[in-house]
């Protein structure tokens, strides 16, 4: 029996596989050669130095559950694409047990996606890395596509560029988690697409670090404290947005504000509040018939807030004359969105590709789309619309709202009426309190206090027999008995 037990123990011991440590450059001169030789669970320990490659990328982790770790600091241990190739590729279904730790990742260049790190259907762990000086069409620093949700901790992502968007990080169908990470001074934007804040995040327009503690001034104890005033501090709203950091507020005094490029304002993916200090009637963002008014295409979430403006005069060559959302879901509150046009979809608001903004207490009227969605157009998007009036908009179809391809906006306490040729084209969720009608209900509120009462009766009586448009509540050209009856039969709250 003792001999049998000993034999079984020997078999068990022989069957155990011990994870190996592979040293670069002692065992292999390149990181890729070490990866090629590694098995799941192995650690590749990389000594200080600069490591380059020859193919399309310097390092491809090949789907292996391995740790690639610098033995020195990121400043000492550099993986360099030399401007000729991508630096790191994870495209083999890597998970959190594929770990890249302690490197400077730089010099990456990709013809299309992910100059620094490219993730496709992969979610590696990226820790204590400096990712800078990389470039691509999309995702200069990091590109996350198709269920790629990398865990990024203790990293600095700065000075990367994208020809199109996602200078720092581009997310398309993936949502990385960023913790204790600095993202700053990437062009044209820091982050495009959805991401999760794991805590300690610093997302800043400027990397300036006056006290040398490794944290940009904007994020060093002042998150959410920055106030940027227009026009006293900045001449245009966009200039104030450019200067704003994570959590800052742009306060806009009454006036009319225009722009020079394709849009009057672009929040640049920043979680900031852009707020009018006066009423929407007093504070106007005007496209002047030459450009769109608001573009949200940088992965804006609910913490990007646009509040209290009239958004008008927008003209888009394609979609979204008033507000254009692409893979972005900002909060839009207490705005009047009127008299905007789009060549194709969404005269007032265009919600495209996973864009589900929260739209509250807004008036969306008099907008035109030359195809669908005069007021609002949705494509693969599900906005939440509460307390709004959507009226008098025009399109070939879906004069009020047009929804396509898995889009179902949720409407609550909202009036959709008087749009041409129809009120809604597509599915929507009725959350209660809504009115959808070809004719808009008459609200004889002569003094705009949202209440029909004795003051409105007195206004009608005072203008009796005239054509005063404020008192002619039934719009028949004469103030008289029918106007008085309209006031009496709609007594109470009215908008």
């Amino acid at each position: 029996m003792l001999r049998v037990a000993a034999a079984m123990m020997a078999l068990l011991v022989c069957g155990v596989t011990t994870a190996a440590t592979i040293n670069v450059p002692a065992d292999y001169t390149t990181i890729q050669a070490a990866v090629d030789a590694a098995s799941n669970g192995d650690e590749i320990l990389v000594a200080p130095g600069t490591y380059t490659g020859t193919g399309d990328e310097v390092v491809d982790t090949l789907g292996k559950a391995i740790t690639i770790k610098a033995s020195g600091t990121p400043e000492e241990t550099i993986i360099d694409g030399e401007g000729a190739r991508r630096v790191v590729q994870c495209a083999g279904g890597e998970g959190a047990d594929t770990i890249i730790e302690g490197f400077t990742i730089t010099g990456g260049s990709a013809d299309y996606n992910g100059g620094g790190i490219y993730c496709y259907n992969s979610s590696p762990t990226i820790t204590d890395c400096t990712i800078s000086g990389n470039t691509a069409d999309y995702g200069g620093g990091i590109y996350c596509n198709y269920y790629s949700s990398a865990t990024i901790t203790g990293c600095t992502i700065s000075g990367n560029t994208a020809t199109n968007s996602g200078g720092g990080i581009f997310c398309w169908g993936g949502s990385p988690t960023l913790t204790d990470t600095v993202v700053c001074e990437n062009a044209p934007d820091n982050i495009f697409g959805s991401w999760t804040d794991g805590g300690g995040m610093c997302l800043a327009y400027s990397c300036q670090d006056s006290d040398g503690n490794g944290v940009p001034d904007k994020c060093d104890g002042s998150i959410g404290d920055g106030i940027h005033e227009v026009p006293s501090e900045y001449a245009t709203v966009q200039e104030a947005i450019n200067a704003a950091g994570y959590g800052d507020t742009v306060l806009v005094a009454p006036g009319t504000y225009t722009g020079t490029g394709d849009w009057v304002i672009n929040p640049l993916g920043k979680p900031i509040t852009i707020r009018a200090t006066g009423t929407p009637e007093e504070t106007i963002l005007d496209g002047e018939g030459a450009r769109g008014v608001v573009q949200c295409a940088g992965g804006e979430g609910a913490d990007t807030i646009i509040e209290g403006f009239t958004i008008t005069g927008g003209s888009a060559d394609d979609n979204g004359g008033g507000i254009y959302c692409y893979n972005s879901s900002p909060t839009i509150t207490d705005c009047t969105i009127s008299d905007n046009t789009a060549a194709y979809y969404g005269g007032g608001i265009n919600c495209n590709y996973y864009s589900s903004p929260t739209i509250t207490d807004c008036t969306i009227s008099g907008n035109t789309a030359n195809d669908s969605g005069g007021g609002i157009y949705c494509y693969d998007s599900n906005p939440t619309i509460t307390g709004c009036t959507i009226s008098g908009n025009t399109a070939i179809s879906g004069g009020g709202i047009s929804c396509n391809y898995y889009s179902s906006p949720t409407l609550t306490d909202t009036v959709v009426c008087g749009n041409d040729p129809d009120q809604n084209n597509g599915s929507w969720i009725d959350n209660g309190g809504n009115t959808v009608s070809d004719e808009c209900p008459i609200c004889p509120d002569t003094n705009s206090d949202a209440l029909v009462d004795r003051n409105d009766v007195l206004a009608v009586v005072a203008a009796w027999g005239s054509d005063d448009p404020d008192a002619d509540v039934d719009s028949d050209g004469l103030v008289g008995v029918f106007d008085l009856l309209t006031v009496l039969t709609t007594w109470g709250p009215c908008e």
Side-chain angles (χ1 to χ4, degrees):
M1 289 291 294
L2 288 173
R3 273 185 257 178
V4 172
M8 292 178 65
M9 182 63 70
L11 287 170
L12 287 170
V13 170
C14 291
V16 172
T17 300
T18 303
T21 298
I22 302 171
N23 291 286
V24 177
D27 297 326
Y28 295 92
T29 57
T30 68
I31 299 173
Q32 187 60 53
V35 172
D36 293 343
S39 300
N40 287 341
D42 287 354
E43 179 180 76
I44 297 171
L45 195 60
V46 182
T50 298
Y51 298 87
T52 59
T54 56
D56 292 333
E57 58 277 325
V58 181
V59 177
D60 186 336
T61 50
L62 301 174
K64 297 183 179 182
I66 56 177
T67 296
I68 306 173
K69 182 177 181 180
S71 63
T73 66
E75 292 77 16
E76 298 171 321
T77 321
I78 301 163
I79 310 177
D80 188 353
E82 302 177 291
R85 58 190 56 85
R86 177 181 293 135
V87 182
V88 177
Q89 175 169 289
C90 299
E94 288 83 352
D97 48 6
T98 298
I99 300 169
I100 301 163
E101 180 177 346
F103 295 94
T104 290
I105 294 171
T106 191
S109 177
D111 290 337
Y112 196 50
N113 302 324
I117 299 175
Y118 174 82
C119 299
Y120 181 86
N121 196 25
S122 299
S123 302
T125 299
I126 304 164
T127 302
D128 295 333
C129 288
T130 297
I131 302 163
S132 65
N134 303 285
T135 185
D137 286 347
Y138 298 90
I142 300 174
Y143 182 87
C144 293
N145 191 15
Y146 192 70
Y147 304 114
S148 294
S149 298
T151 300
I152 303 169
T153 303
C155 293
T156 297
I157 303 166
S158 66
N160 303 285
T161 59
T163 305
N164 290 294
S165 52
I169 303 173
F170 186 97
C171 309
W172 186 277
S175 182
T177 298
L178 280 72
T179 304
D180 297 329
T181 288
V182 173
V183 187
C184 59
E185 284 186 9
N186 300 281
D189 48 6
N190 281 319
I191 303 177
F192 178 96
S194 63
W195 57 281
T196 302
D197 185 351
M201 259 296 295
C202 169
L203 182 62
Y205 181 75
S206 169
C207 293
Q208 182 176 340
D209 175 20
S210 60
D211 59 7
N213 69 347
V215 180
D217 295 342
K218 273 290 171 194
C219 298
D220 189 8
S222 62
I223 295 178
D225 293 340
I227 302 295
H228 307 270
E229 297 184 355
V230 181
S232 60
E233 220 180 330
Y234 300 90
T236 70
V237 180
Q238 190 60 51
E239 287 176 1
I241 291 170
N242 292 345
Y246 185 104
D248 284 359
T249 298
V250 174
L251 293 179
V252 184
T256 298
Y257 300 89
T258 59
T260 56
D262 292 333
W263 304 91
V264 178
I265 67 168
N266 182 343
L268 302 173
K270 298 181 180 184
I272 59 176
T273 297
I274 307 167
R275 176 180 294 141
T277 60
T279 66
E281 292 77 16
E282 298 172 322
T283 320
I284 300 165
L285 302 176
D286 189 353
E288 303 177 292
R291 57 190 56 83
V293 184
V294 179
Q295 174 175 273
C296 295
E300 287 84 355
D303 49 6
T304 298
I305 300 168
I306 300 167
E307 181 179 345
F309 296 92
T310 289
I311 294 169
T312 191
S315 178
D317 292 338
D318 42 25
N319 306 317
I323 299 176
Y324 177 72
C325 297
Y326 184 85
N327 197 25
S328 299
S329 302
T331 299
I332 303 163
T333 301
D334 191 26
C335 287
T336 297
I337 302 158
S338 64
D339 299 317
N340 303 284
T341 63
Y344 297 110
Y345 307 108
I349 302 175
N350 183 285
C351 303
N352 196 5
Y353 193 76
Y354 300 129
S355 292
S356 298
T358 299
I359 306 167
T360 305
D361 295 334
C362 290
T363 298
I364 303 164
S365 65
N367 303 287
T368 302
N370 291 334
D371 197 306
S372 300
I376 300 175
Y377 180 82
C378 306
Y379 182 88
D380 202 7
S381 299
N382 300 293
T384 299
I385 303 168
T386 304
C388 294
T389 298
I390 304 168
S391 66
N393 302 286
T394 305
I396 293 176
S397 65
I401 305 173
S402 181
C403 299
N404 201 353
Y405 194 72
Y406 304 116
S407 296
S408 290
T410 298
L411 273 63
T412 307
D413 297 330
T414 288
V415 175
V416 185
C417 66
N419 300 285
D420 184 26
D422 49 8
Q423 308 315 310
N424 184 49
N425 178 17
S427 65
W428 60 285
I429 298 169
D430 186 348
N431 200 40
N434 299 298
T435 299
V436 180
S437 173
D438 289 342
E439 299 294 330
C440 288
I442 295 174
C443 178
D445 179 17
T446 62
N447 58 355
S448 300
D449 65 354
L451 186 66
V452 178
D453 57 11
R454 65 185 298 274
N455 293 320
D456 301 294
V457 171
L458 292 174
V460 169
V461 171
W464 199 271
S466 74
D467 61 355
D468 183 345
D470 293 328
D472 182 17
V473 295
D474 67 351
S475 301
D476 67 353
L478 178 67
V479 179
V481 65
F482 292 110
D483 301 292
L484 184 58
L485 289 173
T486 301
V487 170
L488 295 174
T489 55
T490 55
W491 200 267
C494 180
E495 296 184 2

